[in-house]
Amino acid sequence: MQYIDLKIDDDIALIKFNRPEALNALNKLMLDEFEEALIKTLNDKDIKGVILTGEGKSFIAGADIAEFLDMNAHDAVSFAEFGQNNICGRIENAPKPVIAAINGYCMGGGNEIAMACDIRLASSDAVFSQPEAAIGILPMWGGFRRLIRLVGLGRAKELILTCRRVKADEALSIGLVNKIVEDKNNLLDEAYIILKNILANAPIAVKLGKAALNYAAEFNIHDANDLERKLSNILFASEDKREGVKAFIEKRRAEYKGE
Ligand code: COA
């Protein structure tokens, strides 16, 4: 692939955006390659988790603005659907954890992709923005809802309507990222550590937990409580739960089967 690097180490896949000359702006080919890498890694049962990062000083500086020149209204709807379903929806609904290791500019569609991930780590020089309105468009890959979920309606309105840039420390304070990694050289190591911590837990709980939290974020408290009862019903009948509880009592490490 020309613009996407895919590296698989044991059971973790690292997908790197690699178009540094354009700060990893997503052109059509890069998006198609990214979709291909996502399908490959998310469908592969031997890959348990995925990390996304960018080459150079940018995670993703948004969609390639040059390609918007000839995009008509009809094309825009297809482009929105592609980003919503084939990219961001695919990440959010993946049956395995996906971590964004944000190494610099994280703008527009890049921030929408980061927000679709389960956990966001940022280097201390990362810069976030939804700058679409400055060029007469708006976020279209699920960014409205995900930004509101993470930072609240008031801040989402401010960020989308002003297009202002947010540095890493502010991104952390408003909940846009989970953690800042001060030394950029440690960003990927930190992402691997967090992913491995997740993967050490009972696979059935991680998989169902991710899916259920996505649903619960959109539910009212009654439906969310109902979902928790259904999950408890499934988990308390699972091998993983039997093994996890037994291992705790026997003071040993659990050996999970994912069922
Ligand atoms: N689309 C296409 N090209 C882009 C791009 C984008 N979204 N973002 C950066 N690039 C290209 C620039 O055109 C430039 O190319 P050139 O060297 O051929 O002129 C190269 O990447 C470097 O960008 P530059 O603007 O010179 O870097 P900078 O460090 O001064 O500024 C940004 C970095 C991210 C602040 C600035 O590039 C920017 O605002 N990009 C657009 C972000 C955006 O609006 N994204 C949302 C699109 S909907």
Side-chain angles (χ1 to χ4, degrees), residues 57-166:
K57 63 171 185 174
S58 180
F59 178 69
I60 300 171
D64 191 321
I65 297 172
E67 292 187 350
F68 287 160
L69 257 187
D70 297 325
M71 196 182 276
N72 62 29
H74 179 77
D75 300 334
V77 174
S78 305
F79 187 68
E81 276 176 351
F82 180 83
Q84 288 168 358
N85 301 327
N86 300 40
I87 302 293
C88 293
R90 185 165 259 137
I91 294 169
E92 188 167 82
N93 297 321
K96 54 190 83 175
V98 183
I99 295 190
I102 301 160
N103 56 301
Y105 291 116
C106 183
M107 301 190 146
N111 194 44
E112 293 186 284
I113 289 172
M115 290 191 295
C117 293
D118 302 305
I119 293 181
R120 284 154 294 284
L121 298 183
S123 60
S124 48
D125 62 351
V127 177
F128 299 80
S129 167
Q130 293 293 161
E132 290 89 347
I135 59 167
I137 62 173
L138 286 167
M140 54 179 136
W141 289 354
F144 280 178
R145 193 67 194 103
R146 293 195 181 97
L147 190 59
I148 292 168
R149 274 194 326 217
L150 286 172
V151 305
L153 179 59
R155 288 197 173 102
K157 279 184 180 166
E158 186 211 333
L159 295 181
I160 288 173
L161 301 183
T162 66
C163 299
R164 82 174 171 88
R165 293 182 198 159
V166 169

